Amino acid sequence: MKKNIILYKTIPVDQFERLQQHFNVTAFDNITPENADTFRQALAGADGIIGASYPITANDLTLAPNLKAASTISVGIDQFDIDAMNARKIALMHTPNVLTETTADTIFTLVLCSARRIIEMAEMVKNGQWTKSIGESDYGSNVNGKTIGILGMGRIGYAVAKRAHAGFGMSVLYYNNHQHLDAENLLNARRCDLDTLLAESDFVCVVLPLLPSTEKLIGKNELAKMKSSAFLINGSRGKIIDETALIDALENQVIRGAGLDVFEVEPLPADSKLLKLPNVVALPHIGSATHETRYAMVKCAVDNLIAALNGDLSQNCVNPEVIK
C-alpha cells in the first residue's frame, strides 16, 4: 500500500510524477492563509511532507500523528522545529550539496556589485545621466588583492573562499566553530575570532545557518568594529544581521556598503530604508535561483523523501542519530 504524502510547493511535472509513482500525493501550490486550514487537516493522514518556504511548527506536528519524514527543498532547516521533530523521531531531509556553487556565485556577485557600484552605475546610464567621463565621486573599490572575511566555513563558505583566493588573489580570513584544513592548506586561509575578522576584512561575508546562537550576530557593536571602507555581504539568512543597526551604519558611513540577498522580512517591504540607500545592493533571495540548480534541488528532495520513507537515511538526513 502506498504511503500518503503532502507536497506544499509547485515542482516540475516529471518530479511530481515520480512522487505519484511512489505515494498518494496531496498537492498544494504553496501554503497561503486561504488554504492553511486545509493543509493542516491533510496532515492527519500524512506519512511524509515535501516542500519549502513554509514554517513547520510543533503545533503542525501534533496534527500529523503518522508523520515519519519531512523533505525540504532547501539546504536551510530554520523553517522546522527541530526539537519537536527529534522528540517525535521524524527524519528531516535537506539538499546540502546541489546549490553550493550557484549560491557562492551569487555571494561573489554581491561582492563585485557592491565594490564596483555596478547597480548604481548601470542605473545612471539607463537614466541618461552619463553625460561625461565619470569622476571620483563615481569611483568604486578594488576587489583584487583585498581581504575577505567569511563567517561560516562550510560548503558554501569554502566555495566563496576558493573564488576569492584563486580568482581575485584575496587574503582569506574565516570564523568557524571548527578548523577547516583544506581552506588553510590550499587557500592560505587563516582562522580567527570574530573581532579580528571584522577589524581586518575589506569584505565581511555572512555564510552561516540561522540558529539561536547566530541570530543578530552582527549588530551595532560588530558593525562599529569593521573598517569604514568595508562592505558587508549576506547570502545566508537575513536575521543574522540586525537590520536596524545595519541601516544606521550605512546612513552614517560606519561601513562603505552592503550587498544583501536575504532580509529579516521577505519579501523586503517596499518602504524599507534599505531601498533608499545608494550603497546597498539588494537582491530578492536568488542565491540558488537558476533553472539548473532549482531543478536539482527538487530532484534531490524527491530522492530524499523516497529514500527516507523506505528506511534509508544514509544521505542528506539532518537528524539520523534520533531515528532509532
Side-chain angles (χ1 to χ4, degrees):
M1 182 180 295
K2 288 184 177 180
K3 293 182 172 67
N4 300 314
I5 70 160
I6 298 173
L7 169 67
Y8 57 99
K9 186 80 172 177
T10 302
I11 64 174
V13 172
D14 65 323
Q15 296 305 310
F16 180 70
E17 290 175 346
R18 285 185 65 214
L19 288 173
Q20 288 184 311
Q21 289 170 10
H22 291 269
F23 309 115
N24 298 315
V25 182
T26 300
F28 298 84
D29 289 338
N30 288 289
I31 307 303
T32 65
E34 290 72 29
N35 66 15
D37 286 343
T38 306
F39 168 73
R40 294 189 183 101
Q41 290 168 11
L43 287 171
D47 298 291
I49 57 175
I50 179 171
S53 304
Y54 181 78
I56 303 298
T57 66
N59 183 60
D60 291 327
L61 297 177
T62 64
L63 302 175
N66 302 321
L67 194 66
K68 299 295 186 296
S71 182
T72 180
I73 309 171
S74 66
V75 63
I77 56 173
D78 48 282
Q79 295 281 345
F80 294 83
D81 188 319
I82 303 298
D83 290 339
M85 296 191 77
N86 288 345
R88 284 273 309 279
K89 300 188 183 301
I90 299 169
L92 177 57
M93 317 298 289
H94 67 153
T95 63
N97 297 306
V98 294
L99 52 73
T100 298
E101 300 300 333
T102 305
T103 305
D105 284 347
T106 302
I107 291 170
F108 219 88
T109 297
L110 286 169
V111 170
L112 292 168
C113 285
S114 299
R116 298 304 305 273
R117 301 171 64 181
I118 297 298
I119 308 301
E120 188 183 354
M121 295 297 102
E123 288 301 311
M124 180 182 73
V125 176
K126 284 186 176 182
N127 293 334
Q129 297 170 333
W130 183 33
T131 59
K132 60 183 179 180
S133 295
I134 65 169
E136 188 173 346
S137 62
D138 294 321
Y139 290 173
S141 302
N142 278 350
V143 175
N144 189 70
K146 293 294 184 70
T147 296
I148 189 169
I150 300 174
L151 305 187
M153 190 57 78
R155 295 178 184 88
I156 297 171
Y158 184 61
V160 171
K162 286 194 295 183
R163 286 157 173 74
H165 172 76
F168 292 85
M170 301 179 81
S171 299
V172 177
L173 304 178
Y174 76 99
Y175 170 77
N176 201 54
N177 286 337
H178 308 289
Q179 186 177 20
H180 197 299
L181 292 176
D182 280 351
E184 295 182 10
N185 295 333
L186 300 177
L187 309 178
N188 296 322
R190 175 163 61 93
R191 186 183 179 203
C192 59
D193 59 39
L194 181 58
D195 285 354
T196 299
L197 184 146
L198 294 171
E200 296 185 13
S201 298
D202 299 297
F203 300 88
V204 174
C205 294
V206 181
V207 198
L208 289 166
L210 179 61
L211 303 167
S213 59
T214 62
E215 186 167 355
K216 295 197 175 180
L217 178 68
I218 303 299
K220 180 179 180 179
N221 292 336
E222 289 72 30
L223 290 162
K225 294 172 183 176
M226 293 173 60
K227 297 179 180 180
S228 61
S229 58
F231 297 85
L232 179 65
I233 310 297
N234 191 4
S236 52
R237 289 292 184 264
K239 291 181 180 179
I240 295 173
I241 295 173
D242 183 332
E243 215 162 86
T244 300
L246 175 60
I247 291 168
D248 183 70
L250 292 165
E251 288 179 331
N252 292 289
Q253 291 82 51
V254 175
I255 62 173
R256 177 111 186 231
L260 308 170
D261 188 37
V262 290
F263 305 90
E264 286 187 5
V265 176
E266 296 183 4
L268 185 65
D271 61 354
S272 171
K273 288 186 177 180
L274 289 170
L275 298 177
K276 297 177 175 62
L277 296 171
N279 53 345
V280 172
V281 176
L283 300 179
H285 203 149
I286 64 166
S288 62
T290 67
H291 291 292
E292 301 91 337
T293 297
R294 287 293 173 87
Y295 180 86
M297 290 170 66
V298 171
K299 183 179 183 302
C300 180
V302 170
D303 290 343
N304 288 343
L305 187 61
I306 293 170
L309 288 179
N310 281 289
D312 180 5
L313 305 179
S314 61
Q315 304 250 344
N316 302 326
C317 184
V318 173
N319 56 348
E321 68 282 354
V322 305
I323 316 299
K324 295 179 181 178

